[in-house]
Amino acid sequence: MRLWFFLSLAPFVACSGGTDEGTKTPPAESDADADADADADTDADTDVDCTATITGVTPGPADTDVPLDVEVRVDFSEAILETDPYSITVSGASGTTTLAADGLSASWIGDALLSADTSYTVEAAVCLDSQQSSFTTAAVVDLNALEGVTFEVPWGDLNFTQPANGGDLIAALGDIDAILLQMSNIDLTTFEVDAAATFSIDDGTGTIVPACGSVVQEVGDFSQNPYFSFGPQTVTFPIGGGIYTDVEALELRAQFDTSGTFATNIQMEGLIAVEELPPFYADCNSPLMALFLPTCLPCTVSTTGSCMLIEADAPMANISTLDIIADCGLDGTTTSTSTSTSTGTSTGP
């Protein structure tokens, strides 16, 4: 019995090394998760694996003539997550910052148009990196310099972004040489503009003339000088061979240079009745039209009640020698309630 008792104690003696060192303090437990939640809490520490840096800010430093609806973009050296720290602020303006789907950039869009001819400072940050940049918005245009002037956007310069897979189809339609826009009377108090728009076409003899059968007159808006907007208005669209189709809610927008001699940032959109387009598609929602990935929206000019959205942009519009008002026998007025003009330079609202 005593032999069994001593044999049973042998493992404990071996574990103690055969010596009596008193009561041993067990080694501290390894805190393997000490930092595991360092960034899952609500403190202000920075995730150690967020190493992206800023590689570019657009608009760039000292850029001028920046559009009032500019989108500020900040590019990163590597993709980040939505949970990583990043920010974009623009001095004196409020807006929303959004991370790109690929995580390689973030964009800031203002809640309203910025002020003309104003300097803005961009503060951008990502992970542990930050940069500061500045830009100046476009100056206002002397509206007096625009009265009676016709501007043209060459049809071939238009970049069609809608329909998504049919820009070339729309761009190839018609005998259109250019889009024309002429301003006649400009009220420097209300910033309303008596304007006329149409297309220029070949008259059959090789001479480019305004398409007088397609002219629409509308009160344009210069309240956001140097931005001008025209429409929405329904126009007849010359396809060629004597065929016309209707475009509903056509809108034109442009940013004019301070000198009033050209415009940039041209944008056009409208709704087109596809059943009037050769080879006369039956319906915007038809299987054949689906090949062009159209956006079909309700309209009144189509017998089906559905039209295809067309959107396009162009880099520039220059002064044309054509005179829509004179050549088409118009009086240069629209439904504007005030068509008086005055001297001086408009500074916008």
Side-chain angles (χ1 to χ4, degrees):
M1 176 69 71
R2 282 180 290 183
L3 177 61
W4 176 87
F5 176 77
F6 285 110
L7 288 175
S8 66
L9 292 177
F12 296 99
V13 174
C15 290
S16 66
T19 61
D20 183 9
E21 297 177 352
T23 302
K24 298 178 67 68
T25 302
E29 181 180 351
S30 174
D31 187 10
D33 64 347
D35 294 316
D37 63 344
D39 295 299
D41 53 14
T42 58
D43 58 16
D45 57 355
T46 302
D47 198 342
V48 295
D49 62 1
C50 184
T51 59
T53 58
I54 296 172
T55 59
V57 179
T58 306
D63 275 2
T64 59
D65 202 33
V66 173
L68 308 187
D69 60 349
V70 62
E71 177 181 313
V72 177
R73 194 188 75 222
V74 178
D75 296 316
F76 307 140
S77 61
E78 57 189 79
I80 66 169
L81 301 175
E82 187 65 56
T83 53
D84 290 325
Y86 69 94
S87 64
I88 304 174
T89 60
V90 177
S91 63
S94 62
T96 302
T97 300
T98 305
L99 183 66
D102 60 8
L104 289 171
S105 66
S107 297
W108 178 95
I109 298 178
D111 296 332
L113 291 178
L114 300 179
S115 299
D117 198 17
T118 302
S119 178
Y120 288 91
T121 299
V122 177
E123 298 278 358
V126 64
C127 301
L128 297 176
D129 190 24
S130 63
Q131 283 190 25
Q132 186 180 91
S133 182
S134 63
F135 63 85
T136 303
T137 51
V140 297
V141 60
D142 180 359
L143 300 185
N144 287 306
L146 300 178
E147 289 200 5
V149 180
T150 302
F151 292 87
E152 63 178 6
V153 181
W155 188 252
D157 287 356
L158 287 171
N159 169 46
F160 283 86
T161 55
Q162 284 284 354
N165 195 35
D168 290 341
L169 168 71
I170 300 299
L173 287 175
D175 296 330
I176 301 174
D177 174 71
I179 297 175
L180 302 178
L181 173 68
Q182 184 173 12
M183 303 178 195
S184 53
N185 302 302
I186 303 177
D187 189 313
L188 300 185
T189 300
T190 64
F191 304 106
E192 291 184 338
V193 183
D194 289 327
T198 188
F199 307 96
S200 60
I201 58 175
D202 189 325
D203 68 354
T205 66
T207 302
I208 301 299
V209 298
C212 294
S214 296
V215 171
V216 292
Q217 296 185 84
E218 174 71 30
V219 178
D221 176 39
F222 243 120
S223 61
Q224 299 294 342
N225 190 341
Y227 283 93
F228 172 78
S229 61
F230 177 90
Q233 182 64 267
T234 298
V235 303
T236 53
F237 187 90
I239 296 175
I243 299 174
Y244 285 79
T245 187
D246 291 322
V247 179
E248 185 175 316
L250 179 72
E251 291 188 68
L252 297 174
R253 293 180 292 274
Q255 175 187 336
F256 281 84
D257 178 69
T258 308
S259 65
T261 57
F262 66 91
T264 59
N265 196 25
I266 315 300
Q267 299 173 47
M268 179 186 77
E269 66 180 46
L271 299 170
I272 192 166
V274 299
E275 69 269 19
E276 297 178 358
L277 297 177
F280 305 107
Y281 302 100
D283 188 339
C284 182
N285 296 291
S286 67
L288 181 59
M289 282 300 300
L291 298 174
F292 303 119
L293 303 178
T295 297
C296 300
L297 299 174
C299 66
T300 60
V301 296
S302 171
T303 56
T304 67
S306 179
C307 288
M308 179 176 66
L309 173 66
I310 56 171
E311 289 183 346
D313 55 65
M316 183 171 293
N318 290 307
I319 292 178
S320 171
T321 58
L322 299 177
D323 188 329
I324 302 174
I325 295 172
D327 294 347
C328 296
L330 307 176
D331 60 9
T333 62
T334 63
T335 57
S336 173
T337 58
S338 177
T339 58
S340 63
T341 61
S342 60
T343 59
T345 302
S346 167
T347 57

